[in-house]
Amino acid sequence: MEKAKESTSETTLRHPLLSSKLKKPPKSKYAFASAMIASMASLLAGYNIGVMSGAQIFIKDDLKISDVQIEILAGSVHIYSLVGSLTAGWTSDCIGRRNTLLLTSIIYLLGPLITCSANNYFWLMVGRFVTGIAIGYMVVVHIYVAEVSPAATRGFLTALPEVAINAGLLFGYVSNFAFAYLPVRLSWRIMFALASVPPILLGFGAFSLPESPRWLVMKGQLGKAREVLTQISGSREEAEAQLIEIKEKAGITREDTEVVSTQNYSQDKNIWTELVVTPTPVVCRIIITVLALQFLEQASGIDAVVLYSPRIFEKAGMTTTKELLGATIIVGLTKTALILVPMFLSDRVGRRPLLLSSTAGMAGSLIMLGLGLQMVGDFVIAPTWIVAVCIMAVLSYVGFFSAGLGPVTMAYSSKTIPLKLRAQGMGLAIAVNRLVCGVVAMTFISIYEEISIPCTFYMYAVIIGFAFVFVYFCLPETRGKSLEEIEVLFGKN
Protein backbone atom coordinates (compact mmCIF):
# COMPACT_ATOMS: atom_id res chain seq x y z
CA MET A 1 0.00 0.00 0.00
CA GLU A 2 2.78 2.41 0.94
CA LYS A 3 4.56 1.69 -2.33
CA ALA A 4 1.40 2.33 -4.29
CA LYS A 5 0.81 5.66 -2.51
CA GLU A 6 4.45 6.60 -3.01
CA SER A 7 4.24 5.83 -6.73
CA THR A 8 1.09 7.94 -7.11
CA SER A 9 2.50 10.88 -5.18
CA GLU A 10 5.77 10.76 -7.14
CA THR A 11 3.90 10.84 -10.43
CA THR A 12 1.72 13.70 -9.25
CA LEU A 13 4.75 15.73 -8.16
CA ARG A 14 6.47 15.18 -11.47
CA HIS A 15 3.35 16.16 -13.41
CA PRO A 16 1.16 18.70 -11.58
CA LEU A 17 -1.50 18.24 -14.24
CA LEU A 18 -1.94 14.66 -13.07
CA SER A 19 -3.58 15.92 -9.91
CA SER A 20 -6.71 16.19 -12.04
CA LYS A 21 -6.78 12.38 -12.08
CA LEU A 22 -7.65 12.42 -8.41
CA LYS A 23 -11.00 13.89 -9.37
CA LYS A 24 -13.52 11.57 -10.85
CA PRO A 25 -13.62 12.40 -14.56
CA PRO A 26 -16.82 12.23 -16.55
CA LYS A 27 -17.49 9.00 -18.40
CA SER A 28 -16.67 9.36 -22.07
CA LYS A 29 -19.44 8.26 -24.42
CA TYR A 30 -16.97 8.79 -27.26
CA ALA A 31 -14.54 6.24 -25.83
CA PHE A 32 -17.41 3.82 -25.14
CA ALA A 33 -18.72 4.10 -28.72
CA SER A 34 -15.21 3.57 -30.13
CA ALA A 35 -14.68 0.50 -27.97
CA MET A 36 -18.07 -0.91 -29.00
CA ILE A 37 -17.37 -0.56 -32.73
CA ALA A 38 -13.89 -2.09 -32.43
CA SER A 39 -15.30 -4.96 -30.36
CA MET A 40 -17.39 -6.08 -33.34
CA ALA A 41 -14.22 -7.83 -34.53
CA SER A 42 -14.23 -9.82 -31.29
CA LEU A 43 -17.91 -10.65 -31.76
CA LEU A 44 -17.04 -12.11 -35.15
CA ALA A 45 -14.22 -14.15 -33.60
CA GLY A 46 -16.66 -15.58 -31.05
CA TYR A 47 -19.28 -16.41 -33.67
CA ASN A 48 -16.83 -18.12 -36.03
CA ILE A 49 -15.49 -20.24 -33.17
CA GLY A 50 -18.83 -21.00 -31.51
CA VAL A 51 -20.76 -21.87 -34.66
CA MET A 52 -18.46 -24.83 -35.24
CA SER A 53 -19.74 -26.43 -32.02
CA GLY A 54 -23.04 -27.48 -33.61
CA ALA A 55 -22.13 -27.13 -37.29
CA GLN A 56 -19.63 -30.00 -36.98
CA ILE A 57 -22.56 -32.41 -36.43
CA PHE A 58 -24.05 -31.52 -39.81
CA ILE A 59 -20.71 -31.17 -41.64
CA LYS A 60 -19.78 -34.69 -40.56
CA ASP A 61 -23.06 -36.08 -41.91
CA ASP A 62 -22.97 -34.06 -45.13
CA LEU A 63 -19.35 -34.51 -46.20
CA LYS A 64 -18.83 -37.92 -44.53
CA ILE A 65 -15.67 -37.00 -42.62
CA SER A 66 -14.15 -38.69 -39.58
CA ASP A 67 -13.86 -37.59 -35.95
CA VAL A 68 -10.14 -36.91 -36.46
CA GLN A 69 -10.93 -34.61 -39.39
CA ILE A 70 -13.60 -32.85 -37.31
CA GLU A 71 -11.09 -32.42 -34.48
CA ILE A 72 -8.56 -30.86 -36.85
CA LEU A 73 -11.19 -28.68 -38.54
CA ALA A 74 -12.47 -27.33 -35.22
CA GLY A 75 -9.07 -26.71 -33.66
CA SER A 76 -6.95 -25.68 -36.63
CA VAL A 77 -8.60 -22.26 -36.85
CA HIS A 78 -6.69 -21.35 -33.68
CA ILE A 79 -3.40 -22.55 -35.16
CA TYR A 80 -4.09 -20.57 -38.33
CA SER A 81 -4.74 -17.49 -36.17
CA LEU A 82 -1.01 -17.45 -35.35
CA VAL A 83 -0.46 -15.92 -38.79
CA GLY A 84 -2.74 -13.03 -37.86
CA SER A 85 -1.58 -12.57 -34.27
CA LEU A 86 2.13 -12.52 -35.17
CA THR A 87 1.67 -10.00 -37.99
CA ALA A 88 -1.07 -7.84 -36.43
CA GLY A 89 1.34 -5.89 -34.22
CA TRP A 90 3.62 -5.02 -37.12
CA THR A 91 0.65 -4.14 -39.33
CA SER A 92 -1.00 -1.92 -36.72
CA ASP A 93 2.30 -0.11 -36.11
CA CYS A 94 2.72 0.51 -39.84
CA ILE A 95 -0.75 1.56 -40.94
CA GLY A 96 -2.41 2.38 -37.61
CA ARG A 97 -4.87 0.59 -35.33
CA ARG A 98 -7.95 1.90 -37.15
CA ASN A 99 -6.81 0.86 -40.64
CA THR A 100 -5.85 -2.57 -39.30
CA LEU A 101 -9.41 -2.99 -38.02
CA LEU A 102 -10.64 -2.13 -41.52
CA LEU A 103 -8.33 -4.78 -42.98
CA THR A 104 -9.64 -7.27 -40.42
CA SER A 105 -13.23 -6.68 -41.56
CA ILE A 106 -12.27 -7.57 -45.14
CA ILE A 107 -10.63 -10.86 -44.07
CA TYR A 108 -13.65 -11.69 -41.90
CA LEU A 109 -15.88 -11.22 -44.93
CA LEU A 110 -13.91 -13.64 -47.11
CA GLY A 111 -13.43 -16.52 -44.62
CA PRO A 112 -17.08 -17.48 -43.99
CA LEU A 113 -17.97 -17.07 -47.67
CA ILE A 114 -15.32 -19.63 -48.64
CA THR A 115 -16.39 -21.96 -45.83
CA CYS A 116 -20.11 -21.95 -46.61
CA SER A 117 -19.48 -22.63 -50.32
CA ALA A 118 -17.07 -25.55 -49.69
CA ASN A 119 -17.95 -28.88 -51.26
CA ASN A 120 -15.08 -30.89 -49.80
CA TYR A 121 -12.76 -31.01 -46.80
CA PHE A 122 -9.95 -29.10 -48.55
CA TRP A 123 -12.04 -25.98 -49.15
CA LEU A 124 -13.43 -26.17 -45.63
CA MET A 125 -9.85 -25.94 -44.38
CA VAL A 126 -9.11 -23.04 -46.74
CA GLY A 127 -12.12 -21.14 -45.43
CA ARG A 128 -11.11 -21.79 -41.82
CA PHE A 129 -7.54 -20.73 -42.63
CA VAL A 130 -8.71 -17.31 -43.85
CA THR A 131 -11.05 -16.99 -40.86
CA GLY A 132 -8.20 -17.96 -38.54
CA ILE A 133 -6.06 -15.09 -39.81
CA ALA A 134 -8.89 -12.67 -38.99
CA ILE A 135 -9.27 -14.18 -35.51
CA GLY A 136 -5.53 -13.63 -34.95
CA TYR A 137 -5.99 -9.95 -35.78
CA MET A 138 -8.18 -9.76 -32.68
CA VAL A 139 -5.02 -8.59 -30.90
CA VAL A 140 -5.55 -5.16 -32.45
CA VAL A 141 -8.95 -4.87 -30.77
CA HIS A 142 -7.42 -5.31 -27.33
CA ILE A 143 -4.60 -2.85 -28.10
CA TYR A 144 -6.98 -0.26 -29.55
CA VAL A 145 -9.54 -0.42 -26.74
CA ALA A 146 -6.83 -0.19 -24.06
CA GLU A 147 -5.30 2.84 -25.80
CA VAL A 148 -8.52 4.81 -26.27
CA SER A 149 -9.92 4.09 -22.78
CA PRO A 150 -9.62 6.70 -20.00
CA ALA A 151 -7.86 5.32 -16.90
CA ALA A 152 -11.00 5.69 -14.76
CA THR A 153 -13.07 3.36 -16.97
CA ARG A 154 -10.39 1.21 -18.56
CA GLY A 155 -11.34 -1.90 -16.59
CA PHE A 156 -14.92 -1.58 -17.86
CA LEU A 157 -14.07 -0.78 -21.47
CA THR A 158 -11.28 -3.35 -21.88
CA ALA A 159 -13.80 -6.01 -20.87
CA LEU A 160 -16.00 -5.12 -23.87
CA PRO A 161 -14.02 -7.27 -26.37
CA GLU A 162 -14.49 -10.27 -24.07
CA VAL A 163 -18.21 -9.51 -23.79
CA ALA A 164 -18.34 -9.38 -27.58
CA ILE A 165 -16.52 -12.72 -27.93
CA ASN A 166 -18.98 -14.37 -25.58
CA ALA A 167 -21.95 -12.75 -27.33
CA GLY A 168 -20.55 -14.09 -30.61
CA LEU A 169 -20.27 -17.58 -29.13
CA LEU A 170 -23.88 -17.35 -27.99
CA PHE A 171 -25.06 -16.20 -31.43
CA GLY A 172 -23.18 -19.14 -32.92
CA TYR A 173 -24.98 -21.57 -30.59
CA VAL A 174 -28.36 -19.97 -31.36
CA SER A 175 -27.60 -20.25 -35.07
CA ASN A 176 -26.86 -23.99 -34.59
CA PHE A 177 -30.23 -24.47 -32.93
CA ALA A 178 -32.20 -22.25 -35.33
CA PHE A 179 -31.03 -23.97 -38.53
CA ALA A 180 -30.73 -27.53 -37.19
CA TYR A 181 -34.05 -28.53 -38.78
CA LEU A 182 -33.10 -27.57 -42.32
CA PRO A 183 -31.73 -30.17 -44.75
CA VAL A 184 -28.24 -31.24 -43.64
CA ARG A 185 -26.56 -29.91 -46.80
CA LEU A 186 -28.10 -26.47 -46.28
CA SER A 187 -28.10 -26.02 -42.49
CA TRP A 188 -24.39 -25.63 -41.75
CA ARG A 189 -23.83 -23.47 -44.84
CA ILE A 190 -26.37 -20.89 -43.66
CA MET A 191 -24.76 -20.91 -40.21
CA PHE A 192 -21.42 -19.83 -41.72
CA ALA A 193 -22.96 -17.52 -44.34
CA LEU A 194 -24.47 -15.37 -41.58
CA ALA A 195 -20.94 -14.54 -40.40
CA SER A 196 -20.34 -12.54 -43.60
CA VAL A 197 -22.85 -9.80 -42.65
CA PRO A 198 -21.26 -8.15 -39.53
CA PRO A 199 -17.88 -7.53 -41.27
CA ILE A 200 -19.63 -5.07 -43.57
CA LEU A 201 -20.87 -3.11 -40.54
CA LEU A 202 -17.42 -3.27 -38.95
CA GLY A 203 -15.85 -1.93 -42.13
CA PHE A 204 -18.14 1.10 -42.26
CA GLY A 205 -17.80 1.63 -38.52
CA ALA A 206 -13.99 1.65 -38.72
CA PHE A 207 -14.12 4.81 -40.83
CA SER A 208 -15.74 6.70 -37.94
CA LEU A 209 -13.21 5.58 -35.31
CA PRO A 210 -10.51 7.92 -33.98
CA GLU A 211 -6.95 6.71 -34.31
CA SER A 212 -5.24 5.53 -31.11
CA PRO A 213 -3.64 8.54 -29.37
CA ARG A 214 -0.65 6.44 -28.33
CA TRP A 215 -0.05 5.37 -31.92
CA LEU A 216 -0.31 9.01 -33.01
CA VAL A 217 2.32 9.97 -30.42
CA MET A 218 4.63 7.20 -31.65
CA LYS A 219 4.29 8.71 -35.12
CA GLY A 220 4.97 12.22 -33.78
CA GLN A 221 1.46 13.55 -34.48
CA LEU A 222 1.08 15.28 -31.11
CA GLY A 223 -1.63 17.69 -32.19
CA LYS A 224 -3.95 14.92 -33.37
CA ALA A 225 -3.14 12.86 -30.27
CA ARG A 226 -4.13 15.80 -28.05
CA GLU A 227 -7.46 16.15 -29.90
CA VAL A 228 -8.30 12.45 -29.48
CA LEU A 229 -7.28 12.42 -25.80
CA THR A 230 -9.50 15.44 -25.17
CA GLN A 231 -12.44 13.70 -26.83
CA ILE A 232 -12.07 10.44 -24.93
CA SER A 233 -11.23 11.93 -21.53
CA GLY A 234 -13.75 14.79 -21.54
CA SER A 235 -11.21 17.09 -19.91
CA ARG A 236 -8.43 19.17 -21.49
CA GLU A 237 -6.42 19.04 -18.27
CA GLU A 238 -6.55 15.25 -18.05
CA ALA A 239 -5.81 14.96 -21.77
CA GLU A 240 -2.71 17.13 -21.39
CA ALA A 241 -1.55 15.12 -18.39
CA GLN A 242 -1.95 11.85 -20.28
CA LEU A 243 -0.14 13.29 -23.29
CA ILE A 244 2.84 14.21 -21.11
CA GLU A 245 3.04 10.65 -19.78
CA ILE A 246 2.74 9.08 -23.22
CA LYS A 247 5.37 11.42 -24.69
CA GLU A 248 7.83 10.54 -21.95
CA LYS A 249 7.40 6.81 -22.53
CA ALA A 250 7.82 7.38 -26.27
CA GLY A 251 11.04 9.36 -25.64
CA ILE A 252 9.65 12.68 -26.88
CA THR A 253 10.58 15.98 -25.20
CA ARG A 254 7.83 18.13 -23.71
CA GLU A 255 7.90 20.98 -26.22
CA ASP A 256 4.37 22.06 -27.13
CA THR A 257 4.52 21.24 -30.84
CA GLU A 258 1.97 19.68 -33.16
CA VAL A 259 4.30 17.33 -35.08
CA VAL A 260 7.74 16.00 -34.14
CA SER A 261 10.19 13.58 -35.69
CA THR A 262 10.19 10.21 -33.92
CA GLN A 263 11.82 6.83 -34.27
CA ASN A 264 9.78 4.51 -36.47
CA TYR A 265 9.17 1.68 -34.08
CA SER A 266 7.51 -0.53 -36.66
CA GLN A 267 10.77 -0.63 -38.64
CA ASP A 268 13.07 -0.93 -35.64
CA LYS A 269 14.96 -4.19 -36.16
CA ASN A 270 15.87 -4.31 -32.47
CA ILE A 271 12.32 -4.32 -31.13
CA TRP A 272 12.03 -8.12 -30.98
CA THR A 273 15.49 -8.27 -29.41
CA GLU A 274 14.35 -5.84 -26.73
CA LEU A 275 11.14 -7.81 -26.25
CA VAL A 276 12.37 -11.42 -25.99
CA VAL A 277 16.14 -11.75 -26.50
CA THR A 278 17.73 -9.18 -24.19
CA PRO A 279 14.83 -7.53 -22.31
CA THR A 280 15.35 -5.36 -19.25
CA PRO A 281 14.41 -6.97 -15.92
CA VAL A 282 11.11 -5.05 -15.92
CA VAL A 283 10.20 -6.06 -19.48
CA CYS A 284 11.29 -9.65 -18.78
CA ARG A 285 8.97 -9.88 -15.79
CA ILE A 286 6.07 -8.32 -17.68
CA ILE A 287 6.45 -10.64 -20.70
CA ILE A 288 6.81 -13.79 -18.57
CA THR A 289 3.75 -12.79 -16.54
CA VAL A 290 1.64 -12.06 -19.62
CA LEU A 291 2.65 -15.21 -21.52
CA ALA A 292 2.16 -17.46 -18.49
CA LEU A 293 -1.29 -16.00 -17.89
CA GLN A 294 -2.24 -16.49 -21.55
CA PHE A 295 -0.99 -20.09 -21.47
CA LEU A 296 -2.86 -20.98 -18.28
CA GLU A 297 -6.11 -19.38 -19.49
CA GLN A 298 -6.34 -21.70 -22.49
CA ALA A 299 -4.69 -24.76 -20.89
CA SER A 300 -7.64 -24.70 -18.47
CA GLY A 301 -9.64 -26.45 -21.22
CA ILE A 302 -12.20 -23.73 -21.84
CA ASP A 303 -12.25 -24.28 -25.60
CA ALA A 304 -12.79 -28.00 -25.16
CA VAL A 305 -16.07 -27.09 -23.45
CA VAL A 306 -16.92 -24.29 -25.89
CA LEU A 307 -16.35 -26.43 -29.01
CA TYR A 308 -17.52 -29.81 -27.77
CA SER A 309 -20.42 -29.02 -25.43
CA PRO A 310 -22.80 -31.25 -27.42
CA ARG A 311 -20.39 -34.19 -27.06
CA ILE A 312 -19.97 -33.57 -23.34
CA PHE A 313 -23.73 -33.48 -22.82
CA GLU A 314 -24.08 -36.62 -24.93
CA LYS A 315 -21.59 -38.37 -22.63
CA ALA A 316 -23.66 -37.10 -19.68
CA GLY A 317 -26.73 -38.93 -20.97
CA MET A 318 -28.55 -36.60 -23.38
CA THR A 319 -29.63 -38.19 -26.64
CA THR A 320 -31.50 -35.92 -29.09
CA THR A 321 -29.93 -33.16 -31.19
CA LYS A 322 -32.53 -30.73 -29.86
CA GLU A 323 -31.48 -31.43 -26.25
CA LEU A 324 -27.77 -31.19 -27.05
CA LEU A 325 -28.00 -27.88 -28.91
CA GLY A 326 -30.51 -26.44 -26.43
CA ALA A 327 -28.20 -27.18 -23.50
CA THR A 328 -25.33 -25.62 -25.45
CA ILE A 329 -27.33 -22.39 -25.81
CA ILE A 330 -27.69 -22.30 -22.01
CA VAL A 331 -23.89 -22.59 -21.78
CA GLY A 332 -23.57 -19.59 -24.10
CA LEU A 333 -26.10 -17.57 -22.12
CA THR A 334 -24.29 -18.30 -18.85
CA LYS A 335 -20.89 -17.48 -20.31
CA THR A 336 -22.18 -14.18 -21.73
CA ALA A 337 -24.17 -13.10 -18.65
CA LEU A 338 -21.33 -13.68 -16.16
CA ILE A 339 -18.96 -11.53 -18.23
CA LEU A 340 -20.75 -8.52 -16.68
CA VAL A 341 -19.13 -9.31 -13.32
CA PRO A 342 -15.58 -8.18 -14.24
CA MET A 343 -16.95 -5.30 -16.31
CA PHE A 344 -18.43 -3.68 -13.21
CA LEU A 345 -16.11 -5.01 -10.50
CA SER A 346 -12.59 -4.95 -11.96
CA ASP A 347 -12.23 -1.19 -11.35
CA ARG A 348 -13.70 -1.56 -7.84
CA VAL A 349 -12.24 -4.72 -6.32
CA GLY A 350 -9.21 -5.19 -8.56
CA ARG A 351 -7.96 -7.87 -10.96
CA ARG A 352 -6.31 -10.22 -8.46
CA PRO A 353 -9.46 -11.02 -6.40
CA LEU A 354 -11.39 -11.75 -9.60
CA LEU A 355 -8.67 -14.04 -10.93
CA LEU A 356 -8.28 -15.92 -7.65
CA SER A 357 -12.01 -16.52 -7.15
CA SER A 358 -12.38 -17.45 -10.83
CA THR A 359 -9.62 -20.08 -10.90
CA ALA A 360 -10.74 -21.61 -7.60
CA GLY A 361 -14.33 -21.91 -8.85
CA MET A 362 -13.27 -23.36 -12.21
CA ALA A 363 -11.15 -26.07 -10.56
CA GLY A 364 -14.02 -27.08 -8.26
CA SER A 365 -16.48 -27.15 -11.17
CA LEU A 366 -14.29 -29.43 -13.26
CA ILE A 367 -13.84 -31.85 -10.38
CA MET A 368 -17.63 -31.95 -10.02
CA LEU A 369 -18.02 -32.52 -13.79
CA GLY A 370 -15.47 -35.33 -13.73
CA LEU A 371 -17.26 -37.04 -10.86
CA GLY A 372 -20.62 -36.67 -12.63
CA LEU A 373 -19.32 -38.17 -15.88
CA GLN A 374 -17.65 -40.95 -13.91
CA MET A 375 -20.97 -41.87 -12.28
CA VAL A 376 -22.74 -41.90 -15.65
CA GLY A 377 -20.62 -44.90 -16.62
CA ASP A 378 -22.27 -46.97 -13.88
CA PHE A 379 -25.70 -46.79 -15.54
CA VAL A 380 -27.14 -47.98 -18.84
CA ILE A 381 -29.45 -44.92 -18.84
CA ALA A 382 -28.14 -42.03 -16.78
CA PRO A 383 -30.50 -40.83 -14.00
CA THR A 384 -31.84 -37.33 -14.41
CA TRP A 385 -30.05 -36.07 -11.31
CA ILE A 386 -26.63 -37.08 -12.68
CA VAL A 387 -27.38 -35.35 -15.99
CA ALA A 388 -28.37 -32.26 -13.98
CA VAL A 389 -25.11 -32.40 -11.98
CA CYS A 390 -23.07 -32.51 -15.20
CA ILE A 391 -25.01 -29.61 -16.72
CA MET A 392 -24.63 -27.51 -13.56
CA ALA A 393 -20.90 -28.29 -13.43
CA VAL A 394 -20.42 -27.10 -17.04
CA LEU A 395 -22.47 -23.94 -16.39
CA SER A 396 -20.52 -23.26 -13.19
CA TYR A 397 -17.22 -23.76 -15.00
CA VAL A 398 -17.95 -21.38 -17.88
CA GLY A 399 -19.54 -18.91 -15.43
CA PHE A 400 -16.44 -18.73 -13.25
CA PHE A 401 -14.29 -18.41 -16.37
CA SER A 402 -16.32 -15.45 -17.63
CA ALA A 403 -16.33 -13.84 -14.19
CA GLY A 404 -12.55 -13.60 -14.06
CA LEU A 405 -9.92 -15.57 -15.97
CA GLY A 406 -11.37 -14.99 -19.45
CA PRO A 407 -11.80 -11.21 -19.64
CA VAL A 408 -9.24 -10.21 -17.01
CA THR A 409 -6.41 -12.08 -18.75
CA MET A 410 -6.71 -9.97 -21.91
CA ALA A 411 -7.34 -6.73 -20.04
CA TYR A 412 -4.37 -7.35 -17.75
CA SER A 413 -2.08 -8.22 -20.68
CA SER A 414 -2.99 -5.19 -22.78
CA LYS A 415 -2.43 -2.91 -19.80
CA THR A 416 0.97 -4.17 -18.68
CA ILE A 417 3.10 -4.26 -21.84
CA PRO A 418 5.06 -0.98 -22.34
CA LEU A 419 3.97 1.39 -25.09
CA LYS A 420 6.99 0.88 -27.36
CA LEU A 421 6.61 -2.91 -27.26
CA ARG A 422 2.83 -3.17 -26.92
CA ALA A 423 1.82 -4.10 -30.47
CA GLN A 424 4.43 -6.84 -30.86
CA GLY A 425 4.06 -7.93 -27.24
CA MET A 426 0.31 -8.38 -27.52
CA GLY A 427 0.82 -10.18 -30.83
CA LEU A 428 3.12 -12.63 -29.05
CA ALA A 429 0.62 -12.99 -26.18
CA ILE A 430 -2.29 -13.74 -28.54
CA ALA A 431 -0.06 -16.16 -30.46
CA VAL A 432 0.58 -18.16 -27.28
CA ASN A 433 -3.12 -17.96 -26.42
CA ARG A 434 -4.25 -19.24 -29.83
CA LEU A 435 -1.54 -21.92 -30.03
CA VAL A 436 -2.53 -23.46 -26.70
CA CYS A 437 -6.20 -23.08 -27.60
CA GLY A 438 -5.61 -24.93 -30.87
CA VAL A 439 -3.72 -27.73 -29.15
CA VAL A 440 -6.55 -28.17 -26.61
CA ALA A 441 -9.24 -28.16 -29.33
CA MET A 442 -7.34 -30.54 -31.62
CA THR A 443 -6.52 -33.08 -28.89
CA PHE A 444 -9.63 -33.16 -26.69
CA ILE A 445 -11.37 -36.07 -28.46
CA SER A 446 -8.15 -38.06 -28.75
CA ILE A 447 -7.25 -37.51 -25.09
CA TYR A 448 -10.64 -38.48 -23.69
CA GLU A 449 -10.71 -41.58 -25.90
CA GLU A 450 -7.32 -42.54 -24.46
CA ILE A 451 -7.68 -41.74 -20.74
CA SER A 452 -11.50 -41.33 -20.41
CA ILE A 453 -13.47 -38.10 -20.31
CA PRO A 454 -13.61 -37.79 -16.47
CA CYS A 455 -9.79 -38.03 -16.24
CA THR A 456 -9.48 -35.40 -18.97
CA PHE A 457 -11.42 -32.90 -16.86
CA TYR A 458 -9.44 -33.84 -13.73
CA MET A 459 -6.31 -33.00 -15.72
CA TYR A 460 -7.70 -29.57 -16.62
CA ALA A 461 -8.59 -29.01 -12.93
CA VAL A 462 -4.95 -29.60 -11.93
CA ILE A 463 -3.78 -27.05 -14.52
CA ILE A 464 -6.23 -24.49 -13.15
CA GLY A 465 -4.84 -25.20 -9.68
CA PHE A 466 -1.43 -24.12 -10.99
CA ALA A 467 -3.09 -20.96 -12.38
CA PHE A 468 -4.42 -20.11 -8.90
CA VAL A 469 -0.94 -20.47 -7.39
CA PHE A 470 0.61 -18.37 -10.18
CA VAL A 471 -1.89 -15.54 -9.74
CA TYR A 472 -1.49 -15.56 -5.96
CA PHE A 473 2.30 -15.32 -5.96
CA CYS A 474 3.24 -13.58 -9.22
CA LEU A 475 0.62 -11.02 -10.28
CA PRO A 476 0.73 -7.48 -8.85
CA GLU A 477 -2.52 -5.53 -8.68
CA THR A 478 -2.94 -2.92 -11.48
CA ARG A 479 -6.26 -1.38 -10.44
CA GLY A 480 -6.32 2.41 -10.81
CA LYS A 481 -2.94 2.57 -12.54
CA SER A 482 -2.38 4.24 -15.89
CA LEU A 483 -0.67 2.29 -18.65
CA GLU A 484 2.54 4.18 -18.00
CA GLU A 485 2.43 3.76 -14.20
CA ILE A 486 2.12 -0.02 -14.47
CA GLU A 487 5.62 -0.26 -15.93
CA VAL A 488 6.92 1.46 -12.81
CA LEU A 489 4.88 -0.93 -10.63
CA PHE A 490 6.52 -4.00 -12.16
CA GLY A 491 9.94 -2.44 -11.68
CA LYS A 492 9.42 -1.60 -8.01
CA ASN A 493 8.03 -4.98 -6.94
Side-chain angles (χ1 to χ4, degrees), residues 330-341:
I330 298 174
V331 171
L333 283 169
T334 303
K335 198 170 184 296
T336 304
L338 269 294
I339 201 78
L340 298 175
V341 173

Side-chain angles (χ1 to χ4, degrees), residues 45-55 128 168-169 172-173 176 306-307:
Y47 183 89
N48 280 286
I49 292 170
V51 74
M52 183 57 75
S53 176
R128 295 303 276 174
L169 285 169
Y173 296 156
N176 293 154
V306 166
L307 282 173

Side-chain angles (χ1 to χ4, degrees), residues 17-26 152 233 235 237-238:
L17 285 169
L18 290 181
S19 60
S20 64
K21 289 170 63 180
L22 299 177
K23 302 176 183 178
K24 207 166 186 178
S233 66
S235 164
E237 292 77 12
E238 185 182 355

Side-chain angles (χ1 to χ4, degrees), residues 53-54 57 169-170 173-174 176-177 181 305-306 308-335 387-388 390-396 398:
S53 176
I57 299 172
L169 285 169
L170 176 58
Y173 296 156
V174 171
N176 293 154
F177 188 85
Y181 304 101
V305 175
V306 166
Y308 301 110
S309 288
R311 285 177 181 258
I312 295 170
F313 292 135
E314 185 178 22
K315 295 289 183 181
M318 292 185 175
T319 54
T320 69
T321 300
K322 183 178 180 180
E323 289 177 341
L324 297 175
L325 297 181
T328 302
I329 289 179
I330 298 174
V331 171
L333 283 169
T334 303
K335 198 170 184 296
V387 177
C390 292
I391 293 174
M392 291 305 298
V394 170
L395 297 180
S396 173
V398 298

